Amino acid sequence: MDLEHAPEPGPGSTPAPAPAPEPEPFTHADYAARMAAAAQSAADAGLAGLLIAPGPDLAHLTGYRPADTERLTLLVLAAGREPVLVVPALEAPDAAGAPGAPALTLRDWTDGKDPYGITAPLLEGGGRFGVSDNTWALHLLGLQRELPASSYAPLTEVLPMLRAVKDRRELERLAAAGAAADAAYARILEVPFAGRRETDIAADLAALLREHGHSQVDFTVVGSGPNGANPHHEAGGRTITHGDMVVLDFGGLKHGYGSDISRTVHVGEPGAEEQRVHDIVREAQRAASAAVRPGIACQDVDRAARAVITEFGYGERFIHRTGHGIGVTTHEPPYMVEGEEQPLVPGMCFSVEPGIYLPGRFGVRIEDIVTVTEDGGRSLNNAPRELAVVQ
């Protein structure tokens, strides 16, 4: 296979992408539709209902994002029944102000009362329920004491695709987050790298994400030189030097939806091997992105990337899955990994991020967020994928 060798842009040569337009707000009808669909999916899976604690599932279904504390907050969903949100009385005003609140019933409880006794009558006594993964054991055990014949299973096990297919307004938010990450990357190419610590570059990236509209920064991986061979290296005190490859992987939330992008840059002109390894990863990333279309299995995206890297003799140095879903969190199902036979569906969004990692020397990773369309796939990141030269 011939690899395309593209020219490397110099620092500051890449213009920042135009900002995405502000997305349309979600309405209570959107949240009502999501809750109804989730309840029906639970019934189709043989579940008596869903129990949703504070976290990404609750935010997705209701727009409510409370603190997750020892006080029970729980959304109860069951097909054919009105959604009920159990909340502490002191938090009821905030819950009532959530955008999805008009589509559900609030039931509050006061300190000193038993929240599990209040919640239990909402549940089928001997039913099996899907429970959001981050539910406190304290709360689940409290419900089990009230309903000893009930049983529970994590949502990632029983309804892993609950949030996987995004609607138009969600896609708008993901596109806006992706454009912001692209803009941050364009700007980071303008800053000096040599002589500065990884933590300095990480701080720059976090500031740039916020400058471009992110309300939350989830990660800023800066892996220079041998640290780049650790895919999840946390930026540390290593001083970046001339001749280093530097892996940049950063993202967070904008408008409540995630960004996640990886690019690899070089401080000064790269050597022949560094350029070649980068070209291989770039080709693997292009092949995996091109494979995206409705109906293929998630594992086929992973296989497309892995086939390229294996062909060039680096198969054992590609040590992680090719991708993960993204939405109201930066990591969620579906996963692009061998053994995942879930078919791709229009509206799914996930990363495509192959890499090669050479211990003690350097690493390369290139990552975009891709959404499945009716006839293929579309990248939500458009930052250049060439090996950029920084100073």
Side-chain angles (χ1 to χ4, degrees):
M1 180 186 298
D2 293 328
L3 293 172
E4 177 183 346
H5 188 109
E8 301 85 20
S13 65
T14 304
E22 288 291 307
E24 295 179 30
F26 295 127
T27 69
H28 74 272
D30 293 320
Y31 291 112
R34 291 179 190 175
M35 287 188 281
Q40 187 57 54
S41 294
D44 293 343
L47 300 171
L50 302 178
L51 307 179
I52 309 298
D57 295 315
L58 187 65
H60 171 73
L61 292 167
T62 69
Y64 184 41
R65 300 172 182 268
D68 192 6
T69 72
E70 75 283 358
R71 289 187 172 98
L72 177 70
T73 295
L74 199 68
L75 175 67
V76 180
L77 296 178
R81 298 184 185 180
E82 185 174 14
V84 178
L85 180 62
V86 179
V87 295
L90 76 169
E91 296 173 8
D94 289 337
L104 51 78
T105 295
L106 287 176
R107 183 165 297 183
D108 62 16
W109 61 277
T110 57
D111 286 352
K113 298 291 181 66
D114 178 11
Y116 311 113
I118 292 170
T119 306
L122 302 174
L123 311 183
E124 180 184 318
R128 182 169 184 259
F129 295 88
V131 181
S132 50
D133 295 357
N134 56 317
T135 304
W136 281 36
L138 170 71
H139 300 322
L140 195 58
L141 292 171
L143 288 174
Q144 284 182 317
R145 284 195 298 270
E146 292 291 325
L147 302 169
S150 62
S151 61
Y152 305 88
L155 283 185
T156 52
E157 176 184 310
V158 292
L159 288 180
M161 297 298 116
L162 179 66
R163 306 194 315 263
V165 178
K166 275 63 179 179
D167 61 28
R168 176 178 60 84
R169 290 190 180 97
E170 291 181 289
L171 291 173
E172 289 173 356
R173 284 162 169 75
L174 285 159
D182 287 350
Y185 175 68
R187 290 279 301 282
I188 204 67
L189 296 181
E190 301 171 358
V191 310
F193 277 64
R196 302 178 70 209
R197 294 171 301 177
E198 292 173 341
T199 50
D200 296 328
I201 303 299
D204 288 344
L205 285 170
L208 286 167
L209 285 174
R210 293 192 182 279
E211 180 182 323
H212 289 281
H214 278 60
S215 60
Q216 177 176 313
V217 177
D218 287 347
F219 49 89
T220 51
V221 173
V222 180
S224 63
N227 289 341
N230 176 358
H232 281 176
H233 170 72
E234 292 190 10
R238 184 181 185 274
T239 298
I240 301 170
T241 63
H242 188 85
D244 278 347
M245 291 279 263
V246 186
V247 177
L248 307 173
D249 183 351
F250 52 97
L253 299 183
K254 179 175 180 176
H255 304 307
Y257 281 75
S259 68
D260 188 358
I261 185 174
S262 297
R263 294 292 186 266
T264 303
V265 302
H266 195 275
V267 185
E269 292 297 323
E273 183 187 18
E274 294 167 318
Q275 183 65 64
R276 176 173 170 76
V277 171
H278 190 279
D279 287 346
I280 293 168
V281 174
R282 185 181 174 200
E283 179 60 29
Q285 206 266 348
R286 178 167 30 217
S289 296
V292 174
R293 62 183 183 278
I296 72 163
C298 291
Q299 67 181 2
D300 292 335
V301 179
D302 182 83
R303 288 173 176 178
R306 210 164 294 278
V308 173
I309 291 174
T310 299
E311 178 181 346
F312 286 96
Y314 291 94
E316 293 184 357
R317 302 270 65 87
F318 180 12
I319 57 176
H320 55 73
R321 64 196 176 201
T322 293
H324 56 81
I326 190 169
V328 292
T329 60
T330 48
H331 285 73
E332 63 185 44
Y335 298 104
M336 306 302 113
V337 65
E338 183 65 31
E340 179 51 79
E341 297 180 350
Q342 167 68 40
L344 298 187
V345 176
M348 284 183 174
C349 292
F350 46 84
S351 66
V352 176
E353 50 178 308
I356 293 175
Y357 307 93
L358 305 180
R361 301 180 62 203
F362 64 88
V364 175
R365 182 163 66 258
I366 303 172
E367 173 186 14
D368 293 327
I369 299 301
V370 174
T371 184
V372 185
T373 64
E374 294 296 332
D375 57 1
R378 174 172 65 94
S379 178
L380 300 184
N381 292 107
N382 295 295
R385 302 168 184 85
E386 297 88 354
L387 179 55
V389 174
V390 296
Q391 300 305 311

